[in-house]
Amino acid sequence: MKHIAISLRFIAAFTALAHGASAWEWMLKPADVKYIIYGGELGDPYAATRHDIHAAFYIRGQAAKEMFKAMGPDKKSVCFTEKGGRIREKEHITCRFRPSQGYECDFGFDLTSGKSIGGSIC
């Protein structure tokens, strides 16, 4: 049975390569990620408490670029003042491209409920 699974993977990889596409593989990649743990709201944060704790994550670089490209299409935003800036949003995930800063994405979680929340105000 193990040989069949290996053979099927080989055939799938060979077929993808023969068609000019590389085989997809589950592989964790490094990412430029920063985070903050806080209480309150993003516009008025304070030190987290046991009953009020949130996490906001900020991703930059290649990971943000891949997320941005996967999310399309662009949205209109009042947050941009930089010419050439673009924004894409899905629920509580926001990704931006700014010519001066590159790609960036943010999102967050309410750690008391586990629910997804935004990671930035604007």
Side-chain angles (χ1 to χ4, degrees):
M1 189 61 105
K2 185 177 180 181
H3 295 292
I4 293 172
I6 292 170
S7 296
L8 289 175
R9 281 191 207 156
F10 176 77
I11 291 168
F14 180 77
T15 302
L17 290 172
H19 290 10
S22 60
W24 182 85
E25 183 180 340
W26 174 274
M27 184 174 70
L28 295 176
K29 301 174 187 177
D32 179 6
V33 179
K34 294 185 171 135
Y35 73 96
I36 186 165
I37 305 292
Y38 66 97
E41 301 295 325
L42 284 169
D44 190 20
Y46 50 78
T49 67
R50 192 170 80 162
H51 299 290
D52 184 11
I53 184 166
H54 306 91
F57 295 88
Y58 303 94
I59 299 174
R60 303 296 180 255
Q62 184 63 31
K65 182 177 181 179
E66 290 180 29
M67 290 173 65
F68 182 92
K69 289 186 173 199
M71 290 173 68
D74 289 358
K75 305 276 185 176
K76 293 203 182 273
S77 175
V78 297
C79 295
F80 278 109
T81 57
E82 184 175 343
K83 185 176 180 166
R86 299 165 57 202
I87 189 168
R88 295 181 177 179
E89 297 175 303
K90 299 286 185 194
E91 292 292 321
H92 298 114
I93 301 172
T94 302
C95 290
R96 290 170 294 286
F97 171 75
R98 293 183 178 121
S100 65
Q101 297 177 340
Y103 292 91
E104 50 194 19
C105 296
D106 53 68
F107 55 90
F109 297 97
D110 179 327
L111 298 176
T112 56
S113 69
K115 292 183 179 179
S116 173
I117 59 175
S120 67
I121 298 171
C122 194

